Amino acid sequence: MRKTRAASEDDLLQQALKHAHWFLQNGTTTVEAKSGYGLSVDEELKLLRAIRKLNAESPIEFVPTFLGAHAVPEEFSQGARAIRSRRDS
């Protein structure tokens, strides 16, 4: 997740294109592309723009799906621990 958040939109696209090439070699034509790893609106929009560009540059269909609330951003981790502690006690 840290690497995803730190990567530029172009870095994400280039990495995904490498995977797309491998998928095509193995006969895959449709891929679910999960977002939700940005953990902020700006980062999510960056991921979705990269997926849109990926669809434009690859013959594979990348279908974006949102996987939200599966992780807590590091900047809020103390708050999450406090919430879990209160919840579990």
Side-chain angles (χ1 to χ4, degrees):
M1 200 163 24
R2 281 187 208 128
K3 288 182 180 180
T4 300
R5 292 179 82 189
S8 71
E9 191 174 317
D10 189 56
D11 290 339
L12 292 170
L13 177 61
Q14 294 309 312
Q15 185 66 26
L17 284 169
K18 289 179 189 175
H19 290 289
H21 180 71
W22 183 85
F23 289 142
L24 278 174
Q25 287 181 324
N26 290 282
T28 302
T29 59
T30 304
V31 174
E32 179 182 20
K34 293 188 188 291
S35 76
Y37 294 93
L39 305 178
S40 74
V41 172
D42 290 338
E43 292 296 321
E44 283 304 302
L45 292 172
K46 176 179 76 174
L47 289 169
L48 293 171
R49 284 190 303 269
I51 294 167
R52 184 183 313 137
K53 289 177 183 177
L54 186 58
N55 273 318
E57 295 185 26
S58 172
I60 295 177
E61 179 182 12
F62 287 87
V63 181
T65 58
F66 180 64
L67 179 63
H70 68 282
V72 176
E74 286 182 4
E75 57 268 27
F76 299 110
S77 64
Q78 287 293 14
R81 282 190 204 105
I83 291 168
R84 283 193 299 270
S85 176
R86 280 182 281 186
R87 180 197 66 202
D88 296 338
S89 59

